[in-house]
Amino acid sequence: MRIEDYALIGDMQSAALVGRDGSIDWLCLPRFDSPACFAALLGDKYNGQWWVGPSGHERPPATRRRYRGETLILESEWDTPTGTVRVIDFMPARHANPDLVRIVEGVSGTVEMSTEIRVRFDYGRIVPWVRRTDGLLHAVGGPDSIWLHSPVPLHGGDYAHRARFTVSAGERVPFVFTWHPSHQPRPVEIDPIEQLTETEKLWEEWVEQCTYQGPWREAVVRSLITLKALTYEPTGGIVAAPTTSLPEDIGGVRNWDYRFCWLRDATMTLDALIGAGYLGEARSWRAWLLRAIAGRAQDLQIMYSVSGERRLTELELDWLPGYEDSRPVRIGNGAVTQLQLDVYGEVMNSLHLSRASGMEPDDRAWTIQLELMDYVEAHWDEPDEGLWEVRGPRRHFTHSKVMCWVALDRAIRQVEDFGRPGPVERWQALREQIHAEVCDKAFDAARNTFTQSYGSRELDAALLMIPMVGFLPPDDPRVVGTVEAIQRELMTDGFVRRYPVSEDGNLDGLPGGEGAFLACSFWLAEALAMIGRREEAVELFERLLSLRNDVGLLAEEYDPRHGRLVGNFPQAFSHVPLIHAARALAGDD
């Protein structure tokens, strides 16, 4: 299936992808970054999959599907010659162990249904030992164990378990899949029907807190729900996506593990949540951040695990062929060791935003920020790998310098607005120095545009952030010129690329191409609105909304050549700028 054929369900600690044909092809337990027990997404059914659908020789796609109201409960319906059937998929709020519930519900007539489950631990590598206990299916492999509860008896064969059953109008047949550590006693069973009611109530009460009432409320609320689903509730960390190695270029090597917490993504997510009225999530994220970055400022990483672990070693899983033969499949992320100076600005901006939004002060937070500022003062003028994590030579990226300016600016504001102690005069002088240098070394006067790095001619979509972070006002001719240059030179088929990508990988150290980053196109829509071209901005924004799949989800990129979503899915870095752009176009910013 295509990436857009999947929908997301989750319990704010992990998530599953459910295909349009009724198959669950991706699920990592017990955390987002745990090994997958269903990994067909990156291989085939023999790498782990759970399918439920109408019986037959084929696995037809659902006739229609939707989320139940403003929740993360997925409903898929099939119209068959003998009747209509609905499958309800969700993950209830975590109790002692993670549960995944599938309820087959008769809508009309009588439909014969089938199910086939193949559990494979460790990303499809471990075939577990399976037995029946008290009529239930129990699978064990190393540290992992699952129980499958259902009134339907399943029969084994070919390292899978299958069943056929019928459902008539008004009947419900539940399945409950529960993971737990294999050394622990059998988990307590949950009531699936009761949990369905509780899960619906949980999401409805959460959505009621949303303060956005603009013209694109449906898209904004669905994006907020997605961001909430990507939050690891026990710690407050926010993952970039629940998947790994979904390719940016089908068949290519640009395949990365996004099941971690990027400071950059998380700070932008925090901004979106605060703007929509979710201060509770903001407090949890700030607590996660302060724990994760505690220590020496020079040890700050660009990403951490959901619990704040720092060692995210990148490995290749050679037994998985990859999504549509896009190899290698990677877990961990080597970019964790990169120097990206922009994260200091993003962290300082988010902590300032938290304080300005009314959150209570935290003296420990200011102590950490002072250390971060010492590091910025000493290292802002060094080259780095930049926002896009290039695996080529370090450069003096313009966006990185601008964000160092942001770090100083937000530190100064903390002193001026909230009475924090700090060397404000020294920071002011350095802020002016960086501003002058960027305007001198990163601006191409002949083309009236800022460029990707000092002395280069390449453009970079990250330059659209210049007016958004307050480095220059939107009506500055240099800002207008940069927006127009990006619109002219980086747009392909109506969408914005991050930067010019050459097949030889000269710029970013990687071969092959990539799709258009959706975040960049949302940035352009917001920038166009800021410079007074609202009609163009709305047209672009609504074109981007049309790329969402049938349940409102976006991947990292869109490939206009083949008309499909690519990259990890669903992607926080796409849904966050959607929210920002909607607010800007509605006049909320």
Side-chain angles (χ1 to χ4, degrees):
M1 288 180 288
R2 289 190 169 199
I3 290 170
E4 54 263 41
D5 287 328
Y6 289 97
L8 178 78
I9 59 174
D11 64 356
M12 282 80 77
Q13 294 192 42
S14 186
L17 293 189
V18 185
R20 195 186 295 267
D21 66 348
S23 64
I24 295 178
D25 290 351
W26 184 253
L27 174 62
C28 299
L29 293 173
R31 302 192 334 183
F32 290 107
D33 55 351
S34 298
C37 56
F38 296 135
L41 181 69
L42 301 178
D44 58 29
K45 65 182 181 180
Y46 295 102
N47 298 118
Q49 181 189 69
W50 184 9
W51 170 72
V52 175
S55 300
H57 296 295
E58 302 293 334
R59 294 184 176 183
T63 307
R64 58 194 159 270
R65 64 177 182 170
R66 60 186 175 272
Y67 284 114
R68 177 180 289 191
E70 295 177 332
T71 75
L72 204 64
I73 300 170
L74 180 68
E75 298 182 335
S76 305
E77 294 182 352
W78 285 262
D79 294 334
T80 76
T82 62
T84 296
V85 65
R86 176 184 302 130
V87 176
I88 303 169
D89 290 313
F90 68 98
M91 294 178 71
R94 188 75 59 96
H95 298 279
N97 300 284
D99 298 292
L100 188 157
V101 179
R102 314 195 77 177
I103 300 173
V104 182
E105 184 176 64
V107 177
S108 66
T110 298
V111 181
E112 184 182 69
M113 298 290 288
S114 294
T115 186
E116 179 177 288
I117 183 169
R118 282 183 168 86
V119 179
R120 298 290 185 269
F121 297 126
D122 194 24
Y123 302 101
R125 192 174 193 180
I126 296 176
V127 179
W129 174 53
V130 182
R131 62 175 179 169
R132 297 180 190 280
T133 302
D134 299 332
L136 307 179
L137 210 62
H138 181 208
V140 176
D144 300 292
S145 173
I146 68 98
W147 292 79
L148 183 62
H149 307 262
S150 176
V152 176
L154 285 89
H155 306 283
D158 188 28
Y159 298 100
H161 284 77
R162 304 174 183 84
R164 286 198 175 198
F165 57 99
T166 59
V167 61
S168 299
E171 293 182 344
R172 283 178 165 180
V173 179
F175 297 82
V176 179
F177 178 98
T178 304
W179 179 96
H180 74 116
S182 59
H183 66 278
Q184 292 185 356
R186 174 175 164 176
V188 176
E189 296 182 33
I190 64 169
D191 182 327
I193 306 304
E194 179 183 285
Q195 289 303 310
L196 175 60
T197 300
E198 289 298 315
T199 302
E200 184 173 16
K201 180 181 178 183
L202 180 151
W203 282 107
E204 288 176 345
E205 290 179 350
W206 189 81
V207 170
E208 284 178 1
Q209 302 173 50
C210 179
T211 57
Y212 177 83
Q213 299 297 332
W216 299 282
R217 189 178 187 280
E218 178 274 327
V220 169
V221 168
R222 180 51 54 191
S223 292
L224 287 167
I225 291 172
T226 303
L227 297 180
K228 176 65 172 175
L230 298 180
T231 302
Y232 186 67
E233 193 170 52
T235 66
I238 303 169
V239 298
T243 57
T244 179
S245 300
L246 289 180
E248 298 173 11
D249 181 26
I250 300 296
V253 301
R254 296 171 183 259
N255 318 316
W256 315 110
D257 193 346
Y258 274 17
R259 298 170 300 156
F260 306 116
C261 305
W262 269 256
L263 297 186
R264 177 185 310 112
D265 294 25
T267 53
M268 293 181 181
T269 302
L270 177 74
D271 189 11
L273 290 169
I274 288 176
Y278 290 100
L279 291 183
E281 283 71 15
R283 289 187 180 91
S284 295
W285 180 87
R286 185 176 71 173
W288 171 86
L289 172 68
L290 296 177
R291 291 191 303 269
I293 68 175
R296 300 184 305 171
Q298 62 263 39
D299 296 330
L300 183 74
Q301 297 184 176
I302 65 167
M303 73 181 88
Y304 299 86
S305 79
V306 291
S307 292
E309 291 100 342
R310 302 187 177 201
R311 191 173 295 114
L312 311 177
T313 306
E314 187 173 302
L315 303 172
E316 296 182 4
L317 307 185
D318 57 8
W319 62 88
L320 286 173
Y323 179 86
E324 294 192 19
D325 291 323
S326 303
R327 303 169 191 246
V329 171
R330 295 181 172 96
I331 59 172
N333 199 306
V336 70
T337 61
Q338 288 188 350
L339 174 64
Q340 296 179 25
L341 292 170
D342 64 294
V343 298
Y344 292 88
E346 280 129 9
V347 168
M348 293 297 296
N349 184 51
S350 65
L351 290 174
H352 173 70
L353 177 65
S354 300
R355 186 72 181 90
S357 66
M359 289 175 57
E360 60 282 350
D362 186 318
D363 292 338
R364 184 168 57 106
W366 183 243
T367 300
I368 292 175
Q369 289 177 81
L370 288 174
E371 288 201 23
L372 295 181
M373 293 313 302
D374 288 342
Y375 186 85
V376 170
E377 287 185 86
H379 298 277
W380 72 271
D381 56 351
E382 296 178 5
D384 70 342
E385 277 89 2
L387 166 74
W388 303 122
E389 299 172 5
V390 299
R391 300 202 175 192
R394 288 183 175 180
R395 302 180 182 212
H396 290 283
F397 285 102
T398 304
H399 176 262
S400 295
K401 306 303 184 191
V402 168
M403 294 310 295
C404 286
W405 178 92
V406 169
L408 288 156
D409 182 73
R410 300 325 186 247
I412 293 167
R413 289 195 198 181
Q414 292 270 41
V415 173
E416 294 176 343
D417 296 347
F418 304 115
R420 289 294 192 180
V424 66
E425 293 183 359
R426 191 173 77 223
W427 289 343
Q428 288 171 335
L430 183 55
R431 180 179 63 177
E432 293 175 7
Q433 179 184 345
I434 295 175
H435 196 282
E437 180 177 293
V438 169
C439 292
D440 177 45
K441 295 185 177 181
F443 186 72
D444 185 338
R447 296 157 65 206
N448 191 33
T449 182
F450 285 96
T451 59
Q452 184 181 55
S453 59
Y454 290 178
S456 71
R457 288 187 55 81
E458 292 91 357
L459 296 181
D460 190 321
L463 300 170
L464 294 168
M465 302 295 291
I466 287 175
M468 299 177 196
V469 298
F471 185 82
L472 286 173
D475 59 356
D476 188 291
R478 292 166 293 184
V479 168
V480 175
T482 300
V483 173
E484 292 176 343
I486 288 172
Q487 194 175 21
R488 183 174 59 250
E489 299 183 32
L490 284 186
M491 289 195 79
T492 301
D493 298 318
F495 303 101
V496 182
R497 292 173 293 149
R498 294 187 297 172
Y499 49 78
V501 174
S502 58
E503 289 294 325
D504 61 7
N506 181 57
L507 179 65
D508 59 15
L510 294 166
E514 62 182 22
F517 262 62
L518 294 173
C520 301
S521 296
F522 280 116
W523 290 345
L524 178 59
E526 186 172 352
L528 286 170
M530 293 181 77
I531 66 172
R533 291 161 58 176
R534 188 178 185 280
E535 187 175 334
E536 285 181 67
V538 170
E539 188 277 330
L540 174 57
F541 180 72
E542 294 189 338
R543 179 151 33 96
L544 292 168
L545 291 186
S546 72
L547 301 182
R548 298 180 302 151
N549 72 357
D550 57 316
V551 290
L553 303 180
L554 288 169
E556 182 178 36
E557 303 176 27
Y558 178 75
D559 187 342
R561 299 169 300 174
H562 303 105
R564 60 183 298 186
L565 296 175
V566 291
N568 283 302
F569 173 87
Q571 173 64 243
F573 206 43
S574 298
H575 285 279
V576 167
L578 182 160
I579 296 168
H580 282 300
R583 289 172 54 203
L585 293 175
D588 290 352
D589 286 341

